[in-house]
Amino acid sequence: MPSAAAVSLVSKCTIFPSQKSSLSDLKLSVSDLPMLSVHYIQKGCLFTRPPFPIPHLISLLKLSLSQTLAHFPPLAGRFVTDSDGYVYISCNDAGVDFVHASATHIFIRDVIGSVDVPEHVKEFFPMDRMVSYRGHFSPLLSVQVTELADGVFIGCSVNHSVMDGTSLWNFFNTFAEVSRGVKKIVRQPDFTRNSILISNSVLKLPADGPKVTFAGDAPLRERIFSFSRESIQTLKAKTNNQKRNFDGEINIVELMAKQSNDPLIIKRETEKLNPTAEISSFQSLCALLWRAVTRARKFPPSKMTTFRMAVNCRHRLHPKLNPLYFGNGIQSIPTYASAGEVVSHDLHWCAEQLNKNVKAHDDVMVRKFVEDWEKDPRCFPLGNFDGAMLTMGSSPRFPMYDNDFGWGRPVAVRSGRANKFDGKISAFPGRGGGGSVDLEVILSPETMEGLESDPEFMQFVTRY
């Protein structure tokens, strides 16, 4: 396999917005500020080689990035902290980094063909292990285009205090649209700063800035587990205790034979077949993973475990935030259960615990999270502090495969080294769409070995 050192720098420059910004400073919110201690987000897309020369591609992407930044002026800015301790994004057009790199003996198959995600993928991203607080002194965004033997990888590293996944993929989609010649950008980001998330509380930070809260040198394995639409449907049905026929649909033949045209019987029997239909496919998948990893970690029954999920609060607040609100519109919801409970109860029980917590996270709960943070402003404690945590990030709903820069959709989506620790999971849509899901799973080597040999988990994995 090629080594990480094979990725070499060809050129690096600063890209400025094609138009000067008229946007005033944007105050960081109670969802932005805690991210000052985490790494820049690193996400990118793998493509086949474009049908034109690489120098032409580099020129095209530089121009397109400049034009895209005119729609996203905060990304070309820098952080400033005022005399009261408030942190703002100064939309000062200072520019972003653009890196052209080369790894022409690495093939697409070397990126996606191995069991574990190969180490050299981490070299496809700039700003490696850059902490978000550094946005005071460094660009808030860097784009790296890495030329491969038979493809290209376009990787973005973006400050996590500036945006979450929703905003990142809107930027990435817009960048792709501009590159392929779309003139009218309809998904314009919303930069308003007038919600409950904007606070008068001050986050006190050390003079040299905060540090990440997890060890960056622990031995880890990283794998992508793929779940087809059919596999996800089967899993969801099992979680909801539904009967299914050979086509994967709820088996209503038995129900129809019983019901005698009586709507009350239909209702009662439907409830028996489908008592908790509100448990989603994704919650079912999370529960499957929670159980399997807990078994693999071999905890005593009394050990408390945590499954933490990032939820989008834009639609949970009243009044709702714009779906294209620019920034971090997320909160992290922990669900707790002892190892004994997770392992001894069935899939439905585990999914129900997650479901209840997500359902309960309404406007009142979002505001309570804000109030709690205001009483004790702090950076987000990212990591696995007791060895029993799982942290789910990203979302299979993000339009990652909509990034067509002009010669086709991505072959795959990958992430860099940023914010990875034992128990960090990221959910991506499967390339096939239709509800398929890829899970990027980071675990200690011994726990990964246990997961790989877990029959309940692996029976639903389509490709690995």
Side-chain angles (χ1 to χ4, degrees):
M1 290 297 291
S3 67
V7 179
S8 58
L9 176 69
V10 177
S11 65
K12 181 178 178 180
C13 66
T14 302
I15 302 294
F16 302 98
S18 60
Q19 300 172 21
K20 287 200 174 297
S21 171
S22 58
L23 205 59
S24 59
D25 292 354
L26 298 183
K27 189 177 184 181
L28 294 193
S29 74
V30 300
S31 292
D32 300 326
L33 288 165
M35 300 300 182
L36 286 170
S37 65
V38 308
H39 292 146
Y40 278 48
I41 305 173
Q42 294 180 318
K43 293 289 189 292
C45 296
L46 175 66
F47 298 89
T48 57
R49 205 171 177 89
F52 43 81
I54 293 298
H56 176 72
L57 172 68
I58 297 302
S59 298
L60 168 68
L61 292 180
K62 285 179 178 179
L63 177 62
S64 302
L65 180 57
S66 174
Q67 293 169 341
T68 305
L69 288 173
H71 298 280
F72 293 83
L75 290 176
R78 299 290 185 273
F79 289 154
V80 293
T81 299
D82 69 12
S83 57
D84 295 318
Y86 295 124
V87 184
Y88 295 84
I89 306 171
S90 172
C91 302
N92 59 6
D93 300 319
V96 307
D97 282 349
F98 185 94
V99 178
H100 175 198
S102 178
T104 51
H105 63 293
I106 296 177
F107 288 80
I108 287 174
R109 66 173 181 266
D110 298 323
V111 179
I112 62 174
S114 55
V115 173
D116 287 15
V117 176
E119 279 294 306
H120 59 249
V121 170
K122 297 178 176 65
E123 307 304 317
F124 296 166
F125 295 90
M127 294 182 155
D128 189 38
R129 287 176 275 209
M130 177 85 76
V131 177
S132 290
Y133 178 82
R134 296 292 303 171
H136 285 85
F137 323 106
S138 301
L140 302 178
L141 168 70
S142 181
V143 174
Q144 178 173 319
V145 182
T146 305
E147 179 185 358
L148 307 178
D150 55 350
V152 293
F153 192 94
I154 301 176
C156 284
S157 295
V158 64
N159 193 294
H160 208 332
S161 284
V162 173
M163 56 165 53
D164 59 10
T166 298
S167 293
L168 167 62
W169 290 108
N170 187 34
F171 161 74
F172 218 133
N173 291 167
T174 305
F175 183 20
E177 285 181 351
V178 172
S179 295
R180 68 173 187 266
V182 174
K183 298 301 181 190
K184 184 172 175 56
I185 303 302
V186 294
R187 293 176 57 82
Q188 292 284 351
D190 176 11
F191 300 113
T192 56
R193 287 294 188 270
N194 56 7
S195 77
I196 187 71
L197 300 179
I198 305 302
S199 173
N200 289 324
S201 296
V202 175
L203 174 62
K204 291 184 170 57
L205 296 166
D208 58 346
K211 305 291 188 290
V212 293
T213 53
F214 58 91
D217 54 359
L220 298 171
R221 283 185 58 196
E222 176 180 348
R223 285 193 61 171
I224 306 289
F225 293 96
S226 296
F227 301 83
S228 68
R229 176 180 183 270
E230 294 72 26
S231 181
I232 294 280
Q233 284 182 329
T234 303
L235 173 62
K236 182 181 178 182
K238 180 180 179 181
T239 305
N240 286 297
N241 299 323
Q242 294 170 349
K243 297 180 181 179
R244 299 177 80 81
N245 64 17
F246 59 87
D247 289 324
E249 302 300 330
I250 298 172
N251 188 346
I252 62 168
V253 175
E254 182 182 351
L255 171 61
M256 294 300 288
K258 290 178 179 178
Q259 48 93 1
S260 306
N261 295 319
D262 185 335
L264 287 177
I265 294 177
I266 293 175
K267 183 175 186 294
R268 276 201 307 271
E269 295 294 338
T270 303
E271 286 171 351
K272 284 182 196 171
L273 287 174
N274 193 11
T276 50
E278 73 275 8
I279 292 179
S280 69
S281 302
F282 187 56
Q283 289 163 1
S284 302
L285 189 56
C286 289
L288 180 75
L289 185 69
W290 192 9
R291 282 168 53 78
V293 171
T294 301
R295 282 191 291 265
R297 285 173 168 168
K298 299 182 171 64
F299 292 134
S302 59
K303 177 72 172 177
M304 188 58 66
T305 72
T306 307
F307 196 105
R308 191 173 277 280
M309 301 176 79
V311 297
N312 187 355
C313 298
R314 288 168 174 81
H315 62 285
R316 297 175 192 273
L317 276 168
H318 294 297
K320 294 179 181 180
L321 295 181
N322 187 316
L324 298 176
Y325 167 81
F326 180 91
N328 286 277
I330 53 174
Q331 290 179 342
S332 181
I333 305 176
T335 300
Y336 304 102
S338 70
E341 289 174 318
V342 172
V343 171
S344 64
H345 286 98
D346 62 7
L347 198 56
H348 170 82
W349 184 89
C350 290
E352 195 171 39
Q353 309 316 301
L354 300 170
N355 175 264
K356 284 189 293 194
N357 260 359
V358 171
K359 241 177 151 176
H361 207 79
D362 56 7
D363 175 68
V364 173
M365 192 62 75
V366 172
R367 290 171 187 272
K368 184 182 184 305
F369 270 48
V370 171
E371 289 168 11
D372 288 347
W373 186 87
E374 288 177 326
K375 291 173 189 169
D376 180 23
R378 62 204 179 281
C379 285
F380 184 69
L382 190 64
N384 181 4
F385 306 108
D386 61 359
M389 302 177 77
L390 284 170
T391 300
M392 176 65 74
S394 200
S395 171
R397 294 183 176 180
F398 289 156
M400 303 180 187
Y401 285 94
D402 290 355
N403 290 306
D404 180 352
F405 282 80
W407 68 96
R409 297 166 67 243
V411 175
V413 175
R414 291 292 183 266
S415 66
R417 197 191 318 267
N419 302 313
K420 287 183 175 172
F421 50 86
D422 175 26
K424 178 67 182 354
I425 318 296
S426 295
F428 303 154
R431 188 178 190 274
S436 58
V437 177
D438 287 347
L439 289 184
E440 177 193 80
V441 178
I442 319 294
L443 292 170
S444 68
E446 56 274 19
T447 303
M448 184 69 84
E449 191 177 338
L451 181 66
E452 290 166 334
S453 59
D454 188 276
E456 183 187 62
F457 180 77
M458 294 303 293
Q459 71 176 307
F460 293 103
V461 175
T462 311
R463 192 177 68 255
Y464 50 89

